[in-house]
């Protein structure tokens, strides 16, 4: 008999992990990176399959999960809306019941958080949130792994988010509570993250509307594009509103001398970040992007291999 939908772990938000599990995942991601660079043959997912459902386009998410499964000896199936009955209106519940009986895990990159939650509620295998309009937990695991590798534990540090109060910002809010750091959010008025999330961790978050004030003394500054994939029609208006919130050399100078800069990519140089910053010595965006691969391998191992 297949497992019941409640018998497996999912990663729909960072809060699906305990603080101890999250730190263990980061350490394991770094260990798997070292093993890969040493050329070690480690394939714990032989004959295992990951279904990857994409309702939003992707570069890093697709490449990292597909490469990770291949490196682990498994296989990944790419599914877009035009490739499945989901694109023709099949209920999410039915798709979850069918797909999860044929594969070992499912990764979904979609619009609504409710989609991944509904899929997970009817799945008999682990479901991973590859991105929704509300959260991007896999990216935050990669960001945290990158910080740990460059600066050590982030506990007690000051992190600054500059830009839209979007899914990345809201995952940083979850990370602040999970990894025990303070988060200062610098955004234009009217573009704050969800009020419910702000109130749930009021002791962790400060919202300001001045990027220099937001950056003051920060150990890490992170940003994202000003218009996400579903907001292209708002770009012209957002360019005017967000232009004072570009991460410039002056913004980085307001941070701690050894502050790091992160961006989940793709980046628009000259909009949310100056070229001199993203291509400068404080930027760790390429390590951050690579770590999507390693920490997601750690996550797949955690979800699918007993004892990890």
């Amino acid at each position: 008999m297949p497992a019941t939908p409640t018998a497996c772990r999912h990663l729909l938000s960072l809060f699906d992990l305990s603080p101890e599990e999250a730190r263990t995942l980061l350490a394991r991601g770094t260990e798997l990176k070292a093993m890969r660079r040493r050329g070690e043959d480690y394939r714990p997912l032989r004959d295992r399959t990951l279904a990857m459902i994409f309702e939003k386009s992707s570069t890093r998410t697709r490449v990292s999960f597909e490469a990770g499964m291949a490196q682990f000896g498994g296989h990944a199936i790419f599914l877009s809306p035009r490739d499945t009955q989901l694109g023709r209106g099949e209920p999410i519940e039915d798709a979850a019941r069918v797909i999860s009986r044929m594969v070992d895990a499912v990764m979904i990159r979609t619009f609504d958080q409710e989609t991944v939650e509904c899929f997970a509620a009817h799945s008999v295998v682990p479901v991973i949130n590859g991105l929704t309009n509300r959260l991007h937990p896999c990216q935050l695991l990669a960001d945290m792994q990158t910080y740990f590798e460059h600066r050590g534990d982030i506990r007690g540090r000051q992190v600054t988010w500059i830009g839209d109060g979007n899914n990345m910002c809201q995952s940083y809010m979850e990370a602040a509570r999970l990894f025990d750091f303070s988060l200062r959010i610098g955004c234009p008025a009217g573009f704050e993250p969800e009020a419910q999330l702000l109130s749930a961790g009021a002791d962790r978050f400060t919202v300001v509307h001045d990027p220099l004030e937001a950056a003051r003394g920060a150990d890490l500054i992170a940003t994202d594009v000003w218009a996400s994939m579903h907001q292209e029609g708002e770009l012209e208006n957002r360019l005017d509103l967000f232009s004072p919130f570009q991460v410039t050399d002056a913004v980085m100078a307001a941070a701690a001398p050894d502050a790091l800069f992160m961006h989940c990519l793709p980046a628009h140089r000259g909009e949310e970040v100056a070229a001199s910053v993203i291509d400068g010595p404080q930027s760790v965006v390429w390590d951050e992007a690579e770590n999507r691969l390693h920490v997601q391998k750690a996550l797949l191992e955690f979800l699918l291999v007993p004892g990890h």
Side-chain angles (χ1 to χ4, degrees), residues 50-234:
L50 172 71
M52 306 187 302
I53 299 173
F54 285 89
E55 294 186 323
K56 282 190 172 188
S57 59
S58 167
T59 298
R60 280 148 291 276
T61 298
R62 179 175 179 181
V63 174
S64 56
F65 272 110
E66 193 161 340
M69 284 298 292
Q71 291 169 18
F72 267 179
H75 179 68
I77 303 172
F78 173 81
L79 300 169
S80 72
R82 63 179 175 273
D83 299 321
T84 70
Q85 296 298 331
L86 278 170
R88 298 181 62 201
E90 181 175 19
I92 296 167
E93 298 89 338
D94 293 357
R97 292 181 179 109
V98 172
I99 294 171
S100 69
R101 285 176 177 240
M102 298 180 179
V103 301
D104 299 284
V106 178
M107 186 282 299
I108 306 177
R109 182 178 171 93
T110 187
F111 293 88
D112 296 328
Q113 181 72 17
E114 292 76 13
T115 298
V116 296
E117 291 175 357
C118 180
F119 198 106
H122 296 87
S123 172
V124 296
V125 298
V127 174
I128 298 169
N129 178 358
L131 174 142
T132 66
N133 289 351
R134 191 168 195 256
L135 297 170
H136 198 356
C138 290
Q139 181 66 57
L140 258 292
L141 290 174
D143 287 17
M144 293 298 99
Q145 179 181 333
T146 306
Y147 189 90
F148 274 59
E149 289 176 349
H150 282 267
R151 296 289 185 265
D153 202 317
I154 201 167
R155 178 180 282 117
R157 298 290 189 170
Q158 176 66 56
V159 176
T160 290
W161 174 264
I162 295 180
D164 191 13
N166 63 8
N167 51 2
M168 277 295 297
C169 177
Q170 293 182 163
S171 281
Y172 262 98
M173 293 166 71
E174 289 194 344
R177 296 170 62 190
L178 190 66
F179 291 98
D180 194 17
F181 61 80
S182 298
L183 179 66
R184 196 178 296 130
I185 300 165
C187 63
F191 291 88
E192 296 84 359
E194 293 178 17
Q196 179 183 354
L197 295 177
L198 284 170
S199 61
D203 59 323
R204 295 282 178 192
F205 315 134
T206 304
V207 177
V208 299
H209 302 299
D210 180 330
L212 290 175
E213 180 183 352
R216 188 180 65 253
D219 300 293
L220 166 63
I221 292 181
T223 192
D224 191 8
V225 296
W226 291 338
S228 298
M229 277 179 280
H230 60 296
Q231 298 169 329
E232 289 87 354
E234 304 174 27

Side-chain angles (χ1 to χ4, degrees), residues 3 26 33 36 70 96 112 116 126 140 170 196 220 244 246 251 271 305 308:
L26 304 190
K33 180 197 290 190
R36 174 75 180 165
D112 296 328
V116 296
L140 258 292
Q170 293 182 163
Q196 179 183 354
L220 166 63
Q246 182 182 117
V251 170
E271 290 184 14
V305 182
H308 285 276

